[in-house]
Amino acid sequence: EADIYQTPRYLVIGTGKKITLECSQTMGHDKMYWYQQDPGMELHLIHYSYGVNSTEKGDLSSESTVSRIRTEHFPLTLESARPSHTSQYLCASSEYGKLFFGSGTQLSVL
Amino acid sequence: AQTVTQSQPEMSVQEAETVTLSCTYDTSESDYYLFWYKQPPSRQMILVIRQEAYKQQNATENRFSVNFQKAAKSFSLKISDSQLGDAAMYFCAYTYGGSQGNLIFGKGTKLSVKP
């Protein structure tokens, strides 16, 4: 079965480091999303893409950036991580309104 | 503004019993979709059930069914014959036809299943 993959699963880094969270899907979906989720809380959309070279900011303001050079790949980058960026980041793709989620990256910035 | 409200932060059910999770939403759109997603402790979110607003018939997926009350803007999830594996966070979500698939999520309900 096709899937959506996120790496790393857990990441602990120091303040000021540049990081990239990877997200890939094998389903050929045009639409992809990044959500941020704090423990026990709802998901907030921070970035989305409707296809190659298309990226938009979501409802929740984020200092991260994304790129979509290939359909299957939608990485998220933080140029200078801060403790306030500590959170769970979930990547998803969709088709016909149905979202498929990755396992998430739990980011901790010390 | 489009909002999704889950008024039950936590729920508990005995194994093999039935439980209903509540969800209300606010929208002025006529073409929209509602979802229930399950997020187990391993944290990969999976779709449980989906309902198109134009369909009057309530969606059903095995032990999971919804009670969709369009006029009341209510979308509750019923889990029958609860199993230990049903323990998870359940999120109600909404999207509308013109949103290009961007979902709005409720705050979630944590369901515990007692053996």
Side-chain angles (χ1 to χ4, degrees):
Chain A
E1 183 177 299
D3 212 336
I4 181 164
Y5 306 95
Q6 285 187 247
T7 57
R9 182 72 180 90
Y10 301 94
L11 180 61
V12 180
I13 58 167
T15 298
K17 298 292 185 184
K18 177 181 178 179
I19 59 165
T20 296
L21 309 185
E22 301 289 346
C23 177
S24 296
Q25 50 100 359
T26 61
M27 295 170 279
H29 292 163
D30 286 327
K31 297 174 185 173
M32 295 190 72
Y33 309 83
W34 276 103
Y35 287 88
Q36 186 173 341
Q37 183 187 28
D38 290 325
M41 300 296 287
E42 69 269 43
L43 282 71
H44 290 288
L45 182 67
I46 52 174
H47 297 284
Y48 59 96
S49 168
Y50 296 153
V52 171
N53 294 326
S54 154
T55 61
E56 301 287 344
K57 289 189 177 295
D59 304 321
L60 181 68
S61 176
S62 174
E63 294 168 344
S64 59
T65 59
V66 293
S67 63
R68 189 87 183 276
I69 300 172
R70 303 197 316 267
T71 297
E72 62 271 21
H73 195 212
F74 190 41
L76 180 145
T77 298
L78 275 166
E79 290 293 332
S80 179
R82 295 205 300 270
S84 60
H85 296 140
T86 294
S87 189
Q88 167 96 351
Y89 293 84
L90 292 169
C91 181
S93 68
S94 79
E95 187 174 58
Y96 305 120
K98 180 179 176 180
L99 277 179
F100 300 83
F101 283 89
S103 298
T105 294
Q106 179 60 51
L107 173 64
S108 297
V109 184
L110 307 177
Chain B
Q2 292 149 350
T3 58
V4 176
T5 302
Q6 292 179 250
S7 59
Q8 306 153 316
E10 296 188 27
M11 291 283 284
S12 180
V13 64
Q14 204 72 34
E15 195 175 7
E17 297 291 307
T18 296
V19 65
T20 298
L21 309 184
S22 301
C23 174
T24 58
Y25 59 95
D26 190 21
T27 183
S28 57
E29 300 288 337
S30 58
D31 174 24
Y32 58 90
Y33 305 83
L34 297 161
F35 308 82
W36 277 99
Y37 279 88
K38 172 185 177 182
Q39 188 178 39
S42 64
R43 312 208 74 161
Q44 184 160 20
M45 192 93 73
I46 56 174
L47 178 65
V48 174
I49 201 164
R50 161 186 159 142
Q51 175 82 43
E52 290 88 343
Y54 65 86
K55 290 188 177 179
Q56 293 185 335
Q57 187 172 5
N58 289 325
T60 299
E61 288 288 342
N62 301 313
R63 297 183 294 107
F64 298 87
S65 61
V66 298
N67 183 6
F68 175 45
Q69 301 289 327
K70 192 171 183 178
K73 295 181 180 175
S74 171
F75 183 61
S76 59
L77 175 69
K78 185 172 84 171
I79 305 174
S80 304
D81 186 26
S82 297
Q83 300 175 359
L84 295 177
D86 294 335
M89 283 289 289
Y90 286 83
F91 291 93
C92 180
Y94 154 95
T95 190
Y96 65 95
S99 75
Q100 296 294 329
N102 296 352
L103 266 65
I104 298 170
F105 286 85
K107 291 183 182 294
T109 296
K110 183 178 181 180
L111 178 66
S112 302
V113 180
K114 297 178 180 178

Short mmCIF file of all heavy atoms in Angstrom, two decimals, chain B residues 91-115:
data_model
loop_
_atom_site.label_atom_id
_atom_site.label_comp_id
_atom_site.label_asym_id
_atom_site.label_seq_id
_atom_site.Cartn_x
_atom_site.Cartn_y
_atom_site.Cartn_z
N PHE B 91 -10.20 13.09 16.51
CA PHE B 91 -10.36 14.47 16.05
C PHE B 91 -11.47 14.55 15.02
O PHE B 91 -11.50 13.78 14.05
CB PHE B 91 -9.06 14.98 15.41
CG PHE B 91 -7.94 15.18 16.39
CD1 PHE B 91 -7.01 14.17 16.62
CD2 PHE B 91 -7.81 16.37 17.08
CE1 PHE B 91 -5.97 14.35 17.51
CE2 PHE B 91 -6.77 16.55 17.97
CZ PHE B 91 -5.85 15.54 18.19
N CYS B 92 -12.35 15.50 15.23
CA CYS B 92 -13.37 15.83 14.24
C CYS B 92 -12.76 16.90 13.33
O CYS B 92 -12.03 17.78 13.81
CB CYS B 92 -14.60 16.35 14.96
SG CYS B 92 -15.98 16.81 13.91
N ALA B 93 -13.04 16.81 12.04
CA ALA B 93 -12.46 17.77 11.11
C ALA B 93 -13.45 18.13 10.02
O ALA B 93 -14.36 17.35 9.70
CB ALA B 93 -11.17 17.21 10.50
N TYR B 94 -13.23 19.28 9.44
CA TYR B 94 -14.16 19.85 8.44
C TYR B 94 -13.37 20.45 7.29
O TYR B 94 -12.29 21.02 7.49
CB TYR B 94 -15.00 20.92 9.13
CG TYR B 94 -15.55 22.00 8.24
CD1 TYR B 94 -16.83 21.90 7.71
CD2 TYR B 94 -14.80 23.12 7.91
CE1 TYR B 94 -17.35 22.88 6.89
CE2 TYR B 94 -15.31 24.11 7.08
CZ TYR B 94 -16.59 23.99 6.58
OH TYR B 94 -17.08 24.96 5.76
N THR B 95 -13.88 20.31 6.10
CA THR B 95 -13.37 21.06 4.97
C THR B 95 -14.53 21.36 4.04
O THR B 95 -15.55 20.67 4.07
CB THR B 95 -12.26 20.29 4.24
OG1 THR B 95 -11.63 21.15 3.28
CG2 THR B 95 -12.82 19.09 3.48
N TYR B 96 -14.38 22.38 3.22
CA TYR B 96 -15.45 22.71 2.30
C TYR B 96 -14.93 22.67 0.88
O TYR B 96 -13.73 22.66 0.64
CB TYR B 96 -16.08 24.06 2.64
CG TYR B 96 -15.18 25.26 2.48
CD1 TYR B 96 -15.18 26.02 1.32
CD2 TYR B 96 -14.34 25.63 3.51
CE1 TYR B 96 -14.36 27.13 1.18
CE2 TYR B 96 -13.51 26.72 3.39
CZ TYR B 96 -13.52 27.48 2.22
OH TYR B 96 -12.70 28.55 2.10
N GLY B 97 -15.84 22.67 -0.05
CA GLY B 97 -15.50 22.42 -1.44
C GLY B 97 -14.48 23.38 -2.02
O GLY B 97 -13.63 22.98 -2.81
N GLY B 98 -14.51 24.63 -1.58
CA GLY B 98 -13.59 25.61 -2.14
C GLY B 98 -12.28 25.74 -1.40
O GLY B 98 -11.45 26.58 -1.73
N SER B 99 -12.05 24.90 -0.41
CA SER B 99 -10.87 25.06 0.44
C SER B 99 -9.66 24.30 -0.08
O SER B 99 -8.61 24.33 0.54
CB SER B 99 -11.18 24.61 1.86
OG SER B 99 -11.21 23.20 1.92
N GLN B 100 -9.82 23.57 -1.17
CA GLN B 100 -8.72 22.79 -1.72
C GLN B 100 -8.21 21.74 -0.74
O GLN B 100 -7.03 21.40 -0.77
CB GLN B 100 -7.57 23.72 -2.13
CG GLN B 100 -7.92 24.68 -3.25
CD GLN B 100 -8.19 23.97 -4.56
OE1 GLN B 100 -7.62 22.93 -4.84
NE2 GLN B 100 -9.06 24.51 -5.38
N GLY B 101 -9.07 21.28 0.12
CA GLY B 101 -8.69 20.18 1.00
C GLY B 101 -8.10 20.59 2.32
O GLY B 101 -7.72 19.74 3.12
N ASN B 102 -7.98 21.88 2.61
CA ASN B 102 -7.44 22.29 3.89
C ASN B 102 -8.44 22.00 4.99
O ASN B 102 -9.55 22.52 5.00
CB ASN B 102 -7.13 23.79 3.87
CG ASN B 102 -6.06 24.14 2.87
OD1 ASN B 102 -5.45 23.27 2.29
ND2 ASN B 102 -5.86 25.42 2.67
N LEU B 103 -8.06 21.15 5.93
CA LEU B 103 -8.97 20.76 7.00
C LEU B 103 -8.85 21.64 8.21
O LEU B 103 -7.77 22.11 8.55
CB LEU B 103 -8.69 19.31 7.42
CG LEU B 103 -9.53 18.23 6.73
CD1 LEU B 103 -9.23 18.18 5.25
CD2 LEU B 103 -9.31 16.89 7.39
N ILE B 104 -9.97 21.85 8.89
CA ILE B 104 -10.01 22.50 10.19
C ILE B 104 -10.33 21.43 11.21
O ILE B 104 -11.32 20.70 11.07
CB ILE B 104 -11.07 23.62 10.22
CG1 ILE B 104 -10.73 24.70 9.18
CG2 ILE B 104 -11.16 24.24 11.62
CD1 ILE B 104 -11.82 25.71 8.98
N PHE B 105 -9.51 21.34 12.25
CA PHE B 105 -9.66 20.28 13.24
C PHE B 105 -10.23 20.81 14.54
O PHE B 105 -9.97 21.95 14.94
CB PHE B 105 -8.30 19.65 13.54
CG PHE B 105 -7.78 18.74 12.46
CD1 PHE B 105 -7.09 19.26 11.39
CD2 PHE B 105 -7.99 17.38 12.53
CE1 PHE B 105 -6.61 18.42 10.38
CE2 PHE B 105 -7.52 16.53 11.55
CZ PHE B 105 -6.84 17.06 10.46
N GLY B 106 -10.99 19.97 15.23
CA GLY B 106 -11.37 20.23 16.61
C GLY B 106 -10.20 19.92 17.54
O GLY B 106 -9.15 19.44 17.10
N LYS B 107 -10.39 20.19 18.83
CA LYS B 107 -9.31 20.01 19.81
C LYS B 107 -9.09 18.56 20.19
O LYS B 107 -8.10 18.23 20.82
CB LYS B 107 -9.59 20.83 21.06
CG LYS B 107 -9.49 22.34 20.85
CD LYS B 107 -9.70 23.08 22.13
CE LYS B 107 -9.65 24.58 21.92
NZ LYS B 107 -8.32 25.03 21.50
N GLY B 108 -10.02 17.70 19.82
CA GLY B 108 -9.84 16.28 20.06
C GLY B 108 -10.51 15.78 21.32
O GLY B 108 -10.76 16.54 22.27
N THR B 109 -10.81 14.49 21.33
CA THR B 109 -11.36 13.79 22.50
C THR B 109 -10.48 12.58 22.76
O THR B 109 -10.27 11.76 21.85
CB THR B 109 -12.80 13.33 22.26
OG1 THR B 109 -13.64 14.46 22.08
CG2 THR B 109 -13.30 12.50 23.44
N LYS B 110 -9.98 12.48 23.96
CA LYS B 110 -9.16 11.33 24.32
C LYS B 110 -10.06 10.21 24.82
O LYS B 110 -10.74 10.36 25.83
CB LYS B 110 -8.15 11.70 25.41
CG LYS B 110 -7.21 10.55 25.77
CD LYS B 110 -6.21 10.99 26.82
CE LYS B 110 -5.27 9.85 27.17
NZ LYS B 110 -4.28 10.26 28.20
N LEU B 111 -10.08 9.10 24.10
CA LEU B 111 -10.92 7.97 24.47
C LEU B 111 -10.09 6.89 25.15
O LEU B 111 -9.08 6.43 24.61
CB LEU B 111 -11.61 7.39 23.23
CG LEU B 111 -12.48 6.16 23.48
CD1 LEU B 111 -13.68 6.54 24.35
CD2 LEU B 111 -12.94 5.52 22.17
N SER B 112 -10.52 6.51 26.33
CA SER B 112 -9.91 5.39 27.04
C SER B 112 -10.88 4.21 27.00
O SER B 112 -12.10 4.40 27.13
CB SER B 112 -9.63 5.76 28.50
OG SER B 112 -8.77 6.88 28.56
N VAL B 113 -10.34 3.00 26.84
CA VAL B 113 -11.17 1.80 26.82
C VAL B 113 -10.74 0.92 27.99
O VAL B 113 -9.57 0.51 28.07
CB VAL B 113 -11.02 1.04 25.49
CG1 VAL B 113 -11.90 -0.21 25.51
CG2 VAL B 113 -11.38 1.94 24.32
N LYS B 114 -11.68 0.62 28.87
CA LYS B 114 -11.37 -0.17 30.06
C LYS B 114 -11.66 -1.64 29.80
O LYS B 114 -12.73 -1.98 29.29
CB LYS B 114 -12.22 0.32 31.24
CG LYS B 114 -11.94 1.75 31.64
CD LYS B 114 -12.84 2.19 32.77
CE LYS B 114 -12.57 3.63 33.17
NZ LYS B 114 -13.47 4.09 34.25
N PRO B 115 -10.72 -2.52 30.16
CA PRO B 115 -10.94 -3.96 29.94
C PRO B 115 -11.95 -4.54 30.92
O PRO B 115 -12.26 -3.94 31.94
CB PRO B 115 -9.54 -4.56 30.17
CG PRO B 115 -8.83 -3.57 31.02
CD PRO B 115 -9.39 -2.21 30.69
#
